[in-house]
Amino acid sequence: MSEQTQESGTAPSRVVVVGAGMAGVQTAVALREQGFTGSVTLIGAEPHQPYDRPPLSKAVLLGKAEGSAFDVDFEALGIELRLGREVTGVRPADHELDTAEGPVPYDELVLATGAEPVRLPGAEGVPGVHLLRTLDDAERLRPVLARQHDIVVVGAGWIGAEFATAAREAGCAVTVVEAADRPLAGALPAEVAAPMAGWYADHGVTLRTHARVARVEPGSVVLDDGSRLPAGAVVVGIGARPATGWLAGSGIALGARGDVLADDHLRSSAPDVHAVGDCASFPSGRYGERLLVHHWDNALQGPRTVAANIIGETPAVYDPVPYFWSEQFGRFVQYVGHHASADTTLWRGDPAGPAWSVCWLREGRLEALLAVGRPRDLAQGRRLIEAGTPMDPALLADPARPLKAATA
């Protein structure tokens, strides 16, 4: 709560949440679950009922599902939806949002605007160039897959691999171009990402690394070495950045990546303004650095902390063990933790096989774990990371031994 609210002894009566994705919806729901009785308004830029994003690159894209709307009865919860509304700014001193339809007052504001995809320079406006972030993006891509076009995917990150998987399942010829020397270059160390490069060829996908796009023309992608790739469609998956451009001039502190600099209770630098999900970073005592986590689990967990702050409780410090998953090329890939400060890397199983894990340790304790087809490793590893349990490296390296039986 704000200092002003605390001094007057009154609870906030109006909460406005900007962003109707996972983080925004879960914040609104958590407020009601935790007993907030004031007004809750959820403002979304898209006209659609609020929906979940992971199915967009899978079931929705392949026509196996029409949508992925959240199973939430907003009316029964007394949550007002204002959809298809663009928010243009915020004036914290006035406790007002600026929208295309006029100002919206608030007592407490939650920033949950998520992230927006990085666009490929020079490709905007070229026919056949697509992003995959929204339901509308998926709807535009569905008939492209159905026509079995030659498709070029720019970027071999998580979303590029997931889209390439779906496109191959639909019968398309797929080439993935990646400027780095390997897939997932920004996410995983070279020796861990290396086995994943073979997954592309195993599924009939051409992967071209060290390949930079010089330009996109109708029907083709031209690389900087002069080679030309036929492309009935181009899908760009080169990353995402916090959707915070609209906060310019607000005085709310942003980081170098455009992230709202939240504190360890997910409060922004402005009074009564909270930030959660993909648009916000937070200081992690566990990992000793500020984390910007662009994954579903963070958008699910953070709202409970925000809701507790708003209703006046003193929540625990927000310091989660990050977690995400990806389904690609017939494999279920899961990652938990943050490996940047690890001093030891251990493998469990053969990376050439269908199931293996990588463990990162720091001073004998598990910091992070990547599991390919080993969900039990993931579940046990997550608990061991949270507990900070000392591990025995020799036992840990035995893939036949459960993780929980490899403690020191």
Side-chain angles (χ1 to χ4, degrees), residues 72-120:
V72 174
D73 190 335
F74 294 99
E75 186 175 356
L77 290 172
I79 297 169
E80 179 190 0
L81 294 181
R82 297 189 188 179
L83 303 176
R85 302 286 183 94
E86 183 185 359
V87 177
T88 57
V90 59
R91 288 170 284 115
D94 299 328
H95 279 63
E96 280 192 338
L97 274 179
D98 292 320
T99 77
E101 289 78 18
V104 177
Y106 66 83
D107 292 323
E108 300 272 346
L109 176 65
V110 182
L111 309 176
T113 46
E116 56 195 6
V118 175
R119 297 177 182 273
L120 186 66

mmCIF file of all heavy atoms in Angstrom, residues 72-120:
data_model
loop_
_atom_site.group_PDB
_atom_site.id
_atom_site.type_symbol
_atom_site.label_atom_id
_atom_site.label_comp_id
_atom_site.label_asym_id
_atom_site.label_seq_id
_atom_site.Cartn_x
_atom_site.Cartn_y
_atom_site.Cartn_z
ATOM 1 N N VAL A 72 -11.542 -18.536 -16.719
ATOM 2 C CA VAL A 72 -11.795 -17.634 -15.596
ATOM 3 C C VAL A 72 -13.135 -16.948 -15.821
ATOM 4 O O VAL A 72 -13.383 -16.405 -16.903
ATOM 5 C CB VAL A 72 -10.684 -16.561 -15.479
ATOM 6 C CG1 VAL A 72 -11.023 -15.540 -14.390
ATOM 7 C CG2 VAL A 72 -9.332 -17.207 -15.198
ATOM 8 N N ASP A 73 -14.007 -16.986 -14.831
ATOM 9 C CA ASP A 73 -15.286 -16.292 -14.916
ATOM 10 C C ASP A 73 -15.088 -14.884 -14.351
ATOM 11 O O ASP A 73 -15.268 -14.638 -13.158
ATOM 12 C CB ASP A 73 -16.365 -17.051 -14.130
ATOM 13 C CG ASP A 73 -17.766 -16.503 -14.384
ATOM 14 O OD1 ASP A 73 -17.888 -15.318 -14.756
ATOM 15 O OD2 ASP A 73 -18.739 -17.255 -14.195
ATOM 16 N N PHE A 74 -14.697 -13.962 -15.221
ATOM 17 C CA PHE A 74 -14.376 -12.607 -14.772
ATOM 18 C C PHE A 74 -15.596 -11.910 -14.168
ATOM 19 O O PHE A 74 -15.479 -11.176 -13.180
ATOM 20 C CB PHE A 74 -13.808 -11.787 -15.939
ATOM 21 C CG PHE A 74 -12.482 -12.288 -16.435
ATOM 22 C CD1 PHE A 74 -12.403 -13.093 -17.572
ATOM 23 C CD2 PHE A 74 -11.316 -11.979 -15.764
ATOM 24 C CE1 PHE A 74 -11.185 -13.557 -18.035
ATOM 25 C CE2 PHE A 74 -10.078 -12.442 -16.214
ATOM 26 C CZ PHE A 74 -10.017 -13.234 -17.349
ATOM 27 N N GLU A 75 -16.746 -12.159 -14.754
ATOM 28 C CA GLU A 75 -17.957 -11.509 -14.245
ATOM 29 C C GLU A 75 -18.267 -11.971 -12.825
ATOM 30 O O GLU A 75 -18.569 -11.169 -11.937
ATOM 31 C CB GLU A 75 -19.135 -11.804 -15.173
ATOM 32 C CG GLU A 75 -20.400 -11.045 -14.803
ATOM 33 C CD GLU A 75 -21.525 -11.271 -15.805
ATOM 34 O OE1 GLU A 75 -21.309 -11.954 -16.825
ATOM 35 O OE2 GLU A 75 -22.637 -10.763 -15.556
ATOM 36 N N ALA A 76 -18.168 -13.287 -12.599
ATOM 37 C CA ALA A 76 -18.459 -13.814 -11.267
ATOM 38 C C ALA A 76 -17.471 -13.291 -10.225
ATOM 39 O O ALA A 76 -17.829 -13.108 -9.050
ATOM 40 C CB ALA A 76 -18.437 -15.346 -11.293
ATOM 41 N N LEU A 77 -16.235 -13.028 -10.655
ATOM 42 C CA LEU A 77 -15.218 -12.526 -9.734
ATOM 43 C C LEU A 77 -15.290 -11.002 -9.576
ATOM 44 O O LEU A 77 -14.534 -10.428 -8.776
ATOM 45 C CB LEU A 77 -13.819 -12.913 -10.219
ATOM 46 C CG LEU A 77 -13.446 -14.400 -10.124
ATOM 47 C CD1 LEU A 77 -12.118 -14.674 -10.810
ATOM 48 C CD2 LEU A 77 -13.387 -14.836 -8.661
ATOM 49 N N GLY A 78 -16.160 -10.372 -10.325
ATOM 50 C CA GLY A 78 -16.266 -8.920 -10.238
ATOM 51 C C GLY A 78 -15.057 -8.206 -10.810
ATOM 52 O O GLY A 78 -14.646 -7.153 -10.316
ATOM 53 N N ILE A 79 -14.477 -8.780 -11.869
ATOM 54 C CA ILE A 79 -13.327 -8.170 -12.540
ATOM 55 C C ILE A 79 -13.820 -7.521 -13.829
ATOM 56 O O ILE A 79 -14.376 -8.194 -14.700
ATOM 57 C CB ILE A 79 -12.244 -9.222 -12.851
ATOM 58 C CG1 ILE A 79 -11.704 -9.823 -11.543
ATOM 59 C CG2 ILE A 79 -11.116 -8.618 -13.678
ATOM 60 C CD1 ILE A 79 -10.831 -11.050 -11.741
ATOM 61 N N GLU A 80 -13.642 -6.221 -13.941
ATOM 62 C CA GLU A 80 -14.076 -5.499 -15.142
ATOM 63 C C GLU A 80 -13.019 -5.633 -16.225
ATOM 64 O O GLU A 80 -11.843 -5.311 -16.006
ATOM 65 C CB GLU A 80 -14.300 -4.016 -14.827
ATOM 66 C CG GLU A 80 -14.722 -3.210 -16.052
ATOM 67 C CD GLU A 80 -14.715 -1.704 -15.821
ATOM 68 O OE1 GLU A 80 -14.374 -1.264 -14.703
ATOM 69 O OE2 GLU A 80 -15.036 -0.973 -16.783
ATOM 70 N N LEU A 81 -13.424 -6.099 -17.398
ATOM 71 C CA LEU A 81 -12.517 -6.213 -18.540
ATOM 72 C C LEU A 81 -12.702 -5.020 -19.467
ATOM 73 O O LEU A 81 -13.832 -4.688 -19.853
ATOM 74 C CB LEU A 81 -12.790 -7.499 -19.321
ATOM 75 C CG LEU A 81 -12.503 -8.840 -18.647
ATOM 76 C CD1 LEU A 81 -12.824 -9.975 -19.603
ATOM 77 C CD2 LEU A 81 -11.049 -8.926 -18.204
ATOM 78 N N ARG A 82 -11.612 -4.389 -19.808
ATOM 79 C CA ARG A 82 -11.628 -3.357 -20.847
ATOM 80 C C ARG A 82 -10.638 -3.808 -21.907
ATOM 81 O O ARG A 82 -9.427 -3.632 -21.760
ATOM 82 C CB ARG A 82 -11.241 -1.996 -20.278
ATOM 83 C CG ARG A 82 -12.203 -1.463 -19.221
ATOM 84 C CD ARG A 82 -11.877 -0.020 -18.857
ATOM 85 N NE ARG A 82 -12.647 0.445 -17.720
ATOM 86 C CZ ARG A 82 -12.550 1.664 -17.185
ATOM 87 N NH1 ARG A 82 -11.693 2.541 -17.726
ATOM 88 N NH2 ARG A 82 -13.272 2.013 -16.146
ATOM 89 N N LEU A 83 -11.162 -4.426 -22.958
ATOM 90 C CA LEU A 83 -10.322 -5.059 -23.972
ATOM 91 C C LEU A 83 -10.265 -4.199 -25.232
ATOM 92 O O LEU A 83 -11.149 -3.394 -25.493
ATOM 93 C CB LEU A 83 -10.858 -6.456 -24.293
ATOM 94 C CG LEU A 83 -10.972 -7.393 -23.076
ATOM 95 C CD1 LEU A 83 -11.598 -8.716 -23.474
ATOM 96 C CD2 LEU A 83 -9.596 -7.617 -22.437
ATOM 97 N N GLY A 84 -9.202 -4.393 -26.009
ATOM 98 C CA GLY A 84 -9.008 -3.583 -27.196
ATOM 99 C C GLY A 84 -8.707 -2.134 -26.859
ATOM 100 O O GLY A 84 -9.009 -1.227 -27.637
ATOM 101 N N ARG A 85 -8.107 -1.901 -25.693
ATOM 102 C CA ARG A 85 -7.816 -0.543 -25.226
ATOM 103 C C ARG A 85 -6.312 -0.303 -25.214
ATOM 104 O O ARG A 85 -5.567 -1.051 -24.588
ATOM 105 C CB ARG A 85 -8.369 -0.327 -23.806
ATOM 106 C CG ARG A 85 -9.864 -0.548 -23.652
ATOM 107 C CD ARG A 85 -10.647 0.592 -24.269
ATOM 108 N NE ARG A 85 -12.078 0.421 -24.063
ATOM 109 C CZ ARG A 85 -12.755 0.959 -23.060
ATOM 110 N NH1 ARG A 85 -12.110 1.672 -22.140
ATOM 111 N NH2 ARG A 85 -14.058 0.784 -22.959
ATOM 112 N N GLU A 86 -5.897 0.742 -25.857
ATOM 113 C CA GLU A 86 -4.474 1.087 -25.848
ATOM 114 C C GLU A 86 -4.189 2.047 -24.701
ATOM 115 O O GLU A 86 -4.854 3.078 -24.558
ATOM 116 C CB GLU A 86 -4.083 1.739 -27.174
ATOM 117 C CG GLU A 86 -2.601 2.064 -27.245
ATOM 118 C CD GLU A 86 -2.219 2.830 -28.508
ATOM 119 O OE1 GLU A 86 -3.109 3.092 -29.338
ATOM 120 O OE2 GLU A 86 -1.026 3.163 -28.643
ATOM 121 N N VAL A 87 -3.206 1.710 -23.893
ATOM 122 C CA VAL A 87 -2.758 2.585 -22.812
ATOM 123 C C VAL A 87 -1.552 3.361 -23.322
ATOM 124 O O VAL A 87 -0.593 2.777 -23.833
ATOM 125 C CB VAL A 87 -2.396 1.781 -21.559
ATOM 126 C CG1 VAL A 87 -1.861 2.688 -20.462
ATOM 127 C CG2 VAL A 87 -3.614 1.016 -21.050
ATOM 128 N N THR A 88 -1.596 4.679 -23.199
ATOM 129 C CA THR A 88 -0.571 5.526 -23.807
ATOM 130 C C THR A 88 0.409 6.120 -22.807
ATOM 131 O O THR A 88 1.470 6.608 -23.184
ATOM 132 C CB THR A 88 -1.223 6.666 -24.604
ATOM 133 O OG1 THR A 88 -2.088 7.414 -23.730
ATOM 134 C CG2 THR A 88 -2.053 6.109 -25.763
ATOM 135 N N GLY A 89 0.069 6.112 -21.525
ATOM 136 C CA GLY A 89 0.978 6.673 -20.533
ATOM 137 C C GLY A 89 0.406 6.573 -19.136
ATOM 138 O O GLY A 89 -0.736 6.135 -18.937
ATOM 139 N N VAL A 90 1.224 6.963 -18.168
ATOM 140 C CA VAL A 90 0.766 6.966 -16.782
ATOM 141 C C VAL A 90 1.365 8.179 -16.090
ATOM 142 O O VAL A 90 2.513 8.569 -16.353
ATOM 143 C CB VAL A 90 1.151 5.654 -16.053
ATOM 144 C CG1 VAL A 90 2.655 5.431 -16.063
ATOM 145 C CG2 VAL A 90 0.637 5.649 -14.620
ATOM 146 N N ARG A 91 0.578 8.787 -15.197
ATOM 147 C CA ARG A 91 1.028 9.937 -14.410
ATOM 148 C C ARG A 91 0.930 9.555 -12.938
ATOM 149 O O ARG A 91 -0.116 9.747 -12.307
ATOM 150 C CB ARG A 91 0.160 11.149 -14.740
ATOM 151 C CG ARG A 91 0.444 11.727 -16.132
ATOM 152 C CD ARG A 91 -0.555 12.775 -16.581
ATOM 153 N NE ARG A 91 -1.818 12.176 -16.993
ATOM 154 C CZ ARG A 91 -2.969 12.363 -16.379
ATOM 155 N NH1 ARG A 91 -3.039 13.115 -15.294
ATOM 156 N NH2 ARG A 91 -4.059 11.791 -16.824
ATOM 157 N N PRO A 92 2.010 8.981 -12.393
ATOM 158 C CA PRO A 92 1.947 8.491 -11.010
ATOM 159 C C PRO A 92 1.554 9.559 -9.988
ATOM 160 O O PRO A 92 0.856 9.255 -9.019
ATOM 161 C CB PRO A 92 3.374 7.978 -10.763
ATOM 162 C CG PRO A 92 3.889 7.612 -12.119
ATOM 163 C CD PRO A 92 3.312 8.651 -13.031
ATOM 164 N N ALA A 93 1.987 10.793 -10.181
ATOM 165 C CA ALA A 93 1.654 11.843 -9.218
ATOM 166 C C ALA A 93 0.147 12.088 -9.155
ATOM 167 O O ALA A 93 -0.398 12.452 -8.102
ATOM 168 C CB ALA A 93 2.387 13.135 -9.568
ATOM 169 N N ASP A 94 -0.526 11.881 -10.300
ATOM 170 C CA ASP A 94 -1.981 12.078 -10.362
ATOM 171 C C ASP A 94 -2.761 10.792 -10.137
ATOM 172 O O ASP A 94 -3.998 10.816 -10.096
ATOM 173 C CB ASP A 94 -2.376 12.661 -11.724
ATOM 174 C CG ASP A 94 -1.741 14.015 -11.988
ATOM 175 O OD1 ASP A 94 -1.533 14.767 -11.008
ATOM 176 O OD2 ASP A 94 -1.419 14.300 -13.157
ATOM 177 N N HIS A 95 -2.050 9.645 -10.044
ATOM 178 C CA HIS A 95 -2.715 8.342 -9.938
ATOM 179 C C HIS A 95 -3.699 8.151 -11.102
ATOM 180 O O HIS A 95 -4.839 7.746 -10.918
ATOM 181 C CB HIS A 95 -3.416 8.187 -8.583
ATOM 182 C CG HIS A 95 -2.476 7.782 -7.483
ATOM 183 N ND1 HIS A 95 -1.432 8.573 -7.083
ATOM 184 C CD2 HIS A 95 -2.398 6.656 -6.715
ATOM 185 C CE1 HIS A 95 -0.750 7.975 -6.109
ATOM 186 N NE2 HIS A 95 -1.317 6.807 -5.865
ATOM 187 N N GLU A 96 -3.211 8.437 -12.311
ATOM 188 C CA GLU A 96 -4.056 8.278 -13.496
ATOM 189 C C GLU A 96 -3.279 7.628 -14.639
ATOM 190 O O GLU A 96 -2.103 7.940 -14.862
ATOM 191 C CB GLU A 96 -4.595 9.629 -13.972
ATOM 192 C CG GLU A 96 -5.784 10.130 -13.178
ATOM 193 C CD GLU A 96 -6.460 11.309 -13.841
ATOM 194 O OE1 GLU A 96 -5.821 12.003 -14.659
ATOM 195 O OE2 GLU A 96 -7.644 11.546 -13.539
ATOM 196 N N LEU A 97 -3.982 6.740 -15.339
ATOM 197 C CA LEU A 97 -3.505 6.179 -16.602
ATOM 198 C C LEU A 97 -4.059 7.016 -17.737
ATOM 199 O O LEU A 97 -5.186 7.496 -17.660
ATOM 200 C CB LEU A 97 -4.041 4.764 -16.792
ATOM 201 C CG LEU A 97 -3.354 3.551 -16.223
ATOM 202 C CD1 LEU A 97 -4.176 2.326 -16.598
ATOM 203 C CD2 LEU A 97 -1.951 3.410 -16.779
ATOM 204 N N ASP A 98 -3.285 7.153 -18.801
ATOM 205 C CA ASP A 98 -3.803 7.775 -20.012
ATOM 206 C C ASP A 98 -4.094 6.682 -21.022
ATOM 207 O O ASP A 98 -3.247 5.821 -21.291
ATOM 208 C CB ASP A 98 -2.773 8.750 -20.594
ATOM 209 C CG ASP A 98 -2.578 9.966 -19.706
ATOM 210 O OD1 ASP A 98 -3.591 10.464 -19.170
ATOM 211 O OD2 ASP A 98 -1.425 10.407 -19.527
ATOM 212 N N THR A 99 -5.306 6.684 -21.562
ATOM 213 C CA THR A 99 -5.695 5.713 -22.587
ATOM 214 C C THR A 99 -6.308 6.458 -23.758
ATOM 215 O O THR A 99 -6.635 7.641 -23.659
ATOM 216 C CB THR A 99 -6.715 4.693 -22.056
ATOM 217 O OG1 THR A 99 -8.012 5.305 -21.998
ATOM 218 C CG2 THR A 99 -6.339 4.182 -20.665
ATOM 219 N N ALA A 100 -6.453 5.737 -24.862
ATOM 220 C CA ALA A 100 -7.045 6.347 -26.051
ATOM 221 C C ALA A 100 -8.468 6.810 -25.787
ATOM 222 O O ALA A 100 -8.982 7.702 -26.471
ATOM 223 C CB ALA A 100 -7.013 5.342 -27.206
ATOM 224 N N GLU A 101 -9.117 6.224 -24.783
ATOM 225 C CA GLU A 101 -10.501 6.587 -24.449
ATOM 226 C C GLU A 101 -10.581 7.598 -23.309
ATOM 227 O O GLU A 101 -11.661 7.886 -22.811
ATOM 228 C CB GLU A 101 -11.315 5.338 -24.084
ATOM 229 C CG GLU A 101 -11.628 4.413 -25.245
ATOM 230 C CD GLU A 101 -10.430 3.543 -25.640
ATOM 231 O OE1 GLU A 101 -9.499 3.403 -24.816
ATOM 232 O OE2 GLU A 101 -10.426 3.044 -26.787
ATOM 233 N N GLY A 102 -9.428 8.096 -22.858
ATOM 234 C CA GLY A 102 -9.443 9.065 -21.772
ATOM 235 C C GLY A 102 -8.735 8.532 -20.539
ATOM 236 O O GLY A 102 -8.324 7.371 -20.485
ATOM 237 N N PRO A 103 -8.586 9.376 -19.502
ATOM 238 C CA PRO A 103 -7.854 8.969 -18.303
ATOM 239 C C PRO A 103 -8.611 7.943 -17.463
ATOM 240 O O PRO A 103 -9.841 7.949 -17.428
ATOM 241 C CB PRO A 103 -7.668 10.279 -17.529
ATOM 242 C CG PRO A 103 -8.756 11.166 -18.023
ATOM 243 C CD PRO A 103 -9.032 10.770 -19.438
ATOM 244 N N VAL A 104 -7.846 7.073 -16.791
ATOM 245 C CA VAL A 104 -8.409 6.067 -15.890
ATOM 246 C C VAL A 104 -7.733 6.239 -14.531
ATOM 247 O O VAL A 104 -6.526 6.043 -14.412
ATOM 248 C CB VAL A 104 -8.170 4.635 -16.415
ATOM 249 C CG1 VAL A 104 -8.689 3.603 -15.421
ATOM 250 C CG2 VAL A 104 -8.818 4.443 -17.781
ATOM 251 N N PRO A 105 -8.487 6.603 -13.483
ATOM 252 C CA PRO A 105 -7.884 6.785 -12.167
ATOM 253 C C PRO A 105 -7.633 5.439 -11.482
ATOM 254 O O PRO A 105 -8.300 4.448 -11.766
ATOM 255 C CB PRO A 105 -8.939 7.593 -11.408
ATOM 256 C CG PRO A 105 -10.234 7.211 -12.055
ATOM 257 C CD PRO A 105 -9.927 6.941 -13.499
ATOM 258 N N TYR A 106 -6.658 5.413 -10.591
ATOM 259 C CA TYR A 106 -6.366 4.205 -9.828
ATOM 260 C C TYR A 106 -5.894 4.575 -8.432
ATOM 261 O O TYR A 106 -5.381 5.683 -8.199
ATOM 262 C CB TYR A 106 -5.303 3.359 -10.543
ATOM 263 C CG TYR A 106 -3.931 4.005 -10.618
ATOM 264 C CD1 TYR A 106 -3.020 3.929 -9.555
ATOM 265 C CD2 TYR A 106 -3.529 4.717 -11.754
ATOM 266 C CE1 TYR A 106 -1.777 4.518 -9.613
ATOM 267 C CE2 TYR A 106 -2.288 5.331 -11.816
ATOM 268 C CZ TYR A 106 -1.409 5.233 -10.744
ATOM 269 O OH TYR A 106 -0.175 5.838 -10.798
ATOM 270 N N ASP A 107 -6.077 3.645 -7.494
ATOM 271 C CA ASP A 107 -5.406 3.738 -6.195
ATOM 272 C C ASP A 107 -4.102 2.951 -6.228
ATOM 273 O O ASP A 107 -3.086 3.382 -5.686
ATOM 274 C CB ASP A 107 -6.310 3.193 -5.082
ATOM 275 C CG ASP A 107 -7.536 4.067 -4.849
ATOM 276 O OD1 ASP A 107 -7.406 5.291 -4.942
ATOM 277 O OD2 ASP A 107 -8.619 3.511 -4.591
ATOM 278 N N GLU A 108 -4.177 1.776 -6.847
ATOM 279 C CA GLU A 108 -2.989 0.933 -7.024
ATOM 280 C C GLU A 108 -2.975 0.481 -8.482
ATOM 281 O O GLU A 108 -4.012 0.094 -9.033
ATOM 282 C CB GLU A 108 -3.023 -0.290 -6.099
ATOM 283 C CG GLU A 108 -3.084 0.034 -4.621
ATOM 284 C CD GLU A 108 -1.726 0.217 -3.962
ATOM 285 O OE1 GLU A 108 -0.710 -0.169 -4.584
ATOM 286 O OE2 GLU A 108 -1.687 0.734 -2.834
ATOM 287 N N LEU A 109 -1.800 0.510 -9.092
ATOM 288 C CA LEU A 109 -1.643 0.158 -10.497
ATOM 289 C C LEU A 109 -0.680 -1.013 -10.621
ATOM 290 O O LEU A 109 0.349 -1.054 -9.942
ATOM 291 C CB LEU A 109 -1.094 1.361 -11.271
ATOM 292 C CG LEU A 109 -0.779 1.163 -12.760
ATOM 293 C CD1 LEU A 109 -2.050 0.877 -13.548
ATOM 294 C CD2 LEU A 109 -0.065 2.397 -13.312
ATOM 295 N N VAL A 110 -1.020 -1.960 -11.486
ATOM 296 C CA VAL A 110 -0.143 -3.109 -11.755
ATOM 297 C C VAL A 110 0.255 -3.092 -13.220
ATOM 298 O O VAL A 110 -0.616 -3.109 -14.106
ATOM 299 C CB VAL A 110 -0.836 -4.440 -11.405
ATOM 300 C CG1 VAL A 110 0.125 -5.611 -11.655
ATOM 301 C CG2 VAL A 110 -1.324 -4.445 -9.961
ATOM 302 N N LEU A 111 1.544 -3.048 -13.478
ATOM 303 C CA LEU A 111 2.083 -3.106 -14.835
ATOM 304 C C LEU A 111 2.340 -4.568 -15.178
ATOM 305 O O LEU A 111 3.185 -5.220 -14.557
ATOM 306 C CB LEU A 111 3.373 -2.301 -14.936
ATOM 307 C CG LEU A 111 3.322 -0.858 -14.410
ATOM 308 C CD1 LEU A 111 4.700 -0.214 -14.494
ATOM 309 C CD2 LEU A 111 2.290 -0.049 -15.168
ATOM 310 N N ALA A 112 1.597 -5.088 -16.155
ATOM 311 C CA ALA A 112 1.735 -6.494 -16.561
ATOM 312 C C ALA A 112 1.645 -6.584 -18.081
ATOM 313 O O ALA A 112 0.944 -7.433 -18.633
ATOM 314 C CB ALA A 112 0.652 -7.345 -15.895
ATOM 315 N N THR A 113 2.360 -5.684 -18.754
ATOM 316 C CA THR A 113 2.232 -5.558 -20.206
ATOM 317 C C THR A 113 3.054 -6.569 -20.990
ATOM 318 O O THR A 113 3.002 -6.596 -22.214
ATOM 319 C CB THR A 113 2.618 -4.135 -20.646
ATOM 320 O OG1 THR A 113 3.835 -3.749 -19.999
ATOM 321 C CG2 THR A 113 1.534 -3.147 -20.265
ATOM 322 N N GLY A 114 3.841 -7.399 -20.290
ATOM 323 C CA GLY A 114 4.532 -8.477 -20.981
ATOM 324 C C GLY A 114 5.679 -7.992 -21.847
ATOM 325 O O GLY A 114 6.285 -6.951 -21.598
ATOM 326 N N ALA A 115 5.959 -8.764 -22.881
ATOM 327 C CA ALA A 115 7.059 -8.459 -23.798
ATOM 328 C C ALA A 115 6.538 -8.410 -25.219
ATOM 329 O O ALA A 115 5.484 -8.968 -25.538
ATOM 330 C CB ALA A 115 8.159 -9.510 -23.671
ATOM 331 N N GLU A 116 7.282 -7.725 -26.060
ATOM 332 C CA GLU A 116 6.924 -7.662 -27.479
ATOM 333 C C GLU A 116 8.081 -8.218 -28.294
ATOM 334 O O GLU A 116 9.246 -8.067 -27.908
ATOM 335 C CB GLU A 116 6.606 -6.217 -27.877
ATOM 336 C CG GLU A 116 7.722 -5.237 -27.581
ATOM 337 C CD GLU A 116 7.261 -3.792 -27.652
ATOM 338 O OE1 GLU A 116 6.051 -3.570 -27.829
ATOM 339 O OE2 GLU A 116 8.118 -2.902 -27.519
ATOM 340 N N PRO A 117 7.792 -8.868 -29.409
ATOM 341 C CA PRO A 117 8.870 -9.493 -30.179
ATOM 342 C C PRO A 117 9.787 -8.456 -30.807
ATOM 343 O O PRO A 117 9.356 -7.376 -31.211
ATOM 344 C CB PRO A 117 8.120 -10.300 -31.252
ATOM 345 C CG PRO A 117 6.766 -9.690 -31.328
ATOM 346 C CD PRO A 117 6.465 -9.119 -29.989
ATOM 347 N N VAL A 118 11.067 -8.806 -30.882
ATOM 348 C CA VAL A 118 12.039 -7.975 -31.591
ATOM 349 C C VAL A 118 11.803 -8.174 -33.084
ATOM 350 O O VAL A 118 11.717 -9.310 -33.567
ATOM 351 C CB VAL A 118 13.477 -8.376 -31.212
ATOM 352 C CG1 VAL A 118 14.492 -7.592 -32.028
ATOM 353 C CG2 VAL A 118 13.704 -8.161 -29.715
ATOM 354 N N ARG A 119 11.702 -7.087 -33.792
ATOM 355 C CA ARG A 119 11.424 -7.174 -35.231
ATOM 356 C C ARG A 119 12.732 -7.221 -36.031
ATOM 357 O O ARG A 119 13.759 -6.691 -35.600
ATOM 358 C CB ARG A 119 10.556 -5.996 -35.677
ATOM 359 C CG ARG A 119 9.199 -6.025 -34.996
ATOM 360 C CD ARG A 119 8.325 -4.825 -35.343
ATOM 361 N NE ARG A 119 7.065 -4.911 -34.614
ATOM 362 C CZ ARG A 119 5.995 -5.566 -35.029
ATOM 363 N NH1 ARG A 119 6.033 -6.207 -36.200
ATOM 364 N NH2 ARG A 119 4.890 -5.601 -34.320
ATOM 365 N N LEU A 120 12.673 -7.849 -37.181
ATOM 366 C CA LEU A 120 13.837 -7.960 -38.046
ATOM 367 C C LEU A 120 13.987 -6.666 -38.832
ATOM 368 O O LEU A 120 13.085 -6.281 -39.572
ATOM 369 C CB LEU A 120 13.661 -9.148 -38.993
ATOM 370 C CG LEU A 120 14.841 -9.503 -39.890
ATOM 371 C CD1 LEU A 120 16.023 -9.981 -39.046
ATOM 372 C CD2 LEU A 120 14.437 -10.584 -40.898
#
